[in-house]
Amino acid sequence: MTKEEFEVFSGKVRRDLISIAGRIHLGDGQPTEAEDIVQDALLRLWELSERGYPVNNAKALAIKITKNLCVSRYRKSRSEAISLGTNDKLGELSAADSLETADNQKIKNILYSRLTPARQECMTLRNDFGMSLDEIAETTGRSKESVKVLISTARKQMLEQLKELL
């Protein structure tokens, strides 16, 4: 998708995505929250397009990404609320929580960097974008069985590497 095509597409779909994000997101109900989610979803869609992922139905993918981002933000806000209930400081995550999150991200980056590009792609779409096997197969142009094998093999490889690191 070219930049011009993406601008036209995003202009057409933005209002629908904001409506979806506004209905799904259970945060403070602020309109800027829904707009932020949509902006993030469109950015992720553009990044996928830039990486050369074949996108058969851009609107369906944009809706799926938007929904997943809403769920992700909701879960994050719930997690923070639970964490804040046990934290002595007002509105802050504990230092241990922050370090653990940073460490987990570093480990994930190391493990992903050791995967083949095809495995990285499938794992990213599955874990970061929350796509189903059917959606990954449609997005990547691979069969569903191939996607299953790539994800399974990547998980096994990452588990073995994690055991070696520990």
Side-chain angles (χ1 to χ4, degrees), residues 14-148:
R14 180 180 290 278
R15 181 170 288 167
D16 293 337
L17 295 178
I18 289 173
S19 174
I20 290 168
R23 285 188 310 225
I24 294 174
H25 185 65
L26 301 175
D28 299 335
Q30 300 173 1
T32 56
E33 189 81 22
E35 291 171 9
D36 289 346
I37 290 170
V38 169
Q39 186 68 27
D40 196 17
L42 290 172
L43 176 64
R44 289 178 186 216
L45 181 63
W46 174 250
E47 288 172 349
L48 284 174
S49 176
E50 281 291 295
R51 289 183 188 163
Y53 293 130
V55 178
N56 296 332
N57 187 341
K59 184 173 182 177
L61 183 56
I63 290 170
K64 181 67 173 179
I65 293 170
T66 301
K67 288 179 178 181
N68 289 339
L69 288 172
C70 288
V71 170
S72 199
R73 287 211 184 179
Y74 174 73
R75 287 180 179 161
K76 183 179 178 185
S77 68
R78 296 278 300 153
S79 171
E80 288 174 355
I82 291 168
S83 175
L84 291 176
T86 61
N87 192 350
D88 294 333
K89 297 189 179 195
L90 296 174
E92 295 180 16
L93 293 175
S94 71
D97 291 339
S98 297
L99 285 174
E100 184 176 346
T101 301
D103 287 345
N104 288 341
Q105 186 61 42
K106 286 178 186 177
I107 292 170
K108 178 183 170 187
N109 291 340
I110 290 168
L111 295 176
Y112 270 44
S113 71
R114 296 178 181 174
L115 296 174
T116 64
R119 290 177 187 164
Q120 279 182 8
E121 174 184 27
C122 289
M123 290 297 288
T124 300
L125 293 173
R126 182 70 170 179
N127 295 332
D128 296 344
F129 293 103
M131 292 181 158
S132 69
L133 295 176
D134 291 326
E135 292 167 332
I136 295 170
E138 182 181 328
T139 301
T140 62
R142 292 182 172 87
S143 70
K144 183 177 177 179
E145 289 303 314
S146 175
V147 169
K148 273 179 160 177

